[in-house]
Amino acid sequence: MSVLPFKPEGVFFDLDGTLLDSAHELYAALLTLCEEQGIAPPPYERVRPVVSRGSRAIIGAGFPGIDPDALLRLVPRYLEIYEAGMASHTVIFEGVDPLLAALDAAGIRWGIVTNKPGFLTDALLPRAVPHWNPAAVVSGDTLPVKKPDPAPVLHACAVAGCDPARSVFVGDDRRDILAGNAAGLFTVAVRWGYLDGGDPDAWGADVVLDHADELATLLGVGEVAA
């Protein structure tokens, strides 16, 4: 694994499915919603791939064929359930904590660009990862647009004070790669996330990786690079 052709000024990450594995928590909220509505719950395997697409996709997996208006009416209750149990089942993906610590030690700024609503992002981070200190956090409603639009990625670079041309964007969804590429960052697709049922090799990322340790090496902060 070679290192980047430049020393990165910033590294920006998607949140759910890239840094944090929140699928079990989002699924647990769906189970409660299904129970309240008297609906048999779907298997976890049906829900996990779509969690990066947010609450509507998750509810749709549990209520197949539901009328779009009826689905929208369930969203506030689903989010209320999720927020109430937030961080109870969320875990950090293997290798991510050492990677972020290595970036901090190397003086490389890092941040988060997520499509998650800001009120949920702001509640989750201090509960699940109070030791993290990102240089920028951009949520799905920080700007009028969200990924795959490049504006949130560029906004994160501006907040962190990083040149997009010397920065990296990492994600587990095609929208992450589209946004990062359009913003002019070096893009990394990761196989350990949810993938939305897609093939990361087909998304046009500069690199596709299997583990956070490989990302550390690529960024020049891993044991191999050292």
Side-chain angles (χ1 to χ4, degrees):
M1 177 70 64
S2 61
V3 298
L4 289 172
F6 57 87
K7 176 176 172 56
E9 291 184 6
V11 184
F12 300 91
F13 301 88
D14 172 54
L15 183 58
D16 297 290
T18 301
L19 296 178
L20 296 179
D21 188 354
S22 53
H24 284 285
E25 190 158 274
L26 292 161
Y27 179 65
L30 179 62
L31 294 183
T32 300
L33 184 67
C34 288
E35 182 179 6
E36 290 181 353
Q37 297 294 316
I39 300 293
Y44 172 73
E45 292 73 20
R46 185 193 302 170
V47 178
R48 187 182 191 276
V50 306
V51 297
S52 289
R53 285 196 274 133
S55 58
R56 296 183 191 181
I58 295 169
I59 295 170
F63 296 75
I66 189 174
D67 177 80
D69 290 336
L71 187 153
L72 286 177
R73 288 194 292 271
L74 290 175
V75 169
R77 176 54 182 157
Y78 174 77
L79 293 179
E80 182 180 43
I81 296 167
Y82 168 60
E83 186 178 16
M86 186 177 287
S88 58
H89 296 90
T90 294
V91 297
I92 305 167
F93 279 109
E94 183 179 3
V96 164
D97 250 354
L99 166 64
L100 299 182
L103 291 175
D104 286 335
I108 299 172
R109 287 156 282 181
W110 65 272
I112 294 167
V113 184
T114 176
N115 281 357
K116 200 181 199 77
F119 80 96
L120 293 177
T121 306
D122 294 343
L124 175 61
L125 292 176
R127 295 188 204 178
V129 285
H131 56 294
W132 287 4
N133 187 30
V137 176
V138 178
S139 294
D141 51 4
T142 301
L143 301 179
V145 294
K146 56 187 177 182
K147 299 176 297 183
D149 194 288
V153 178
L154 291 171
H155 183 64
C157 290
V159 171
C162 300
D163 179 358
R166 300 186 66 82
S167 297
V168 178
F169 193 69
V170 185
D172 72 305
D173 191 280
R174 183 171 180 268
R175 291 168 301 173
D176 298 320
I177 305 307
L178 291 174
N181 284 343
L185 282 71
F186 186 97
T187 53
V188 178
V190 298
R191 298 186 201 276
W192 64 75
Y194 306 135
L195 307 182
D196 196 16
D199 175 11
D201 290 303
W203 296 344
D206 292 298
V207 174
V208 181
L209 300 177
D210 294 309
H211 195 276
D213 290 347
E214 295 178 332
L215 181 56
T217 298
L218 176 73
L219 296 172
V221 297
E223 292 182 2
V224 174

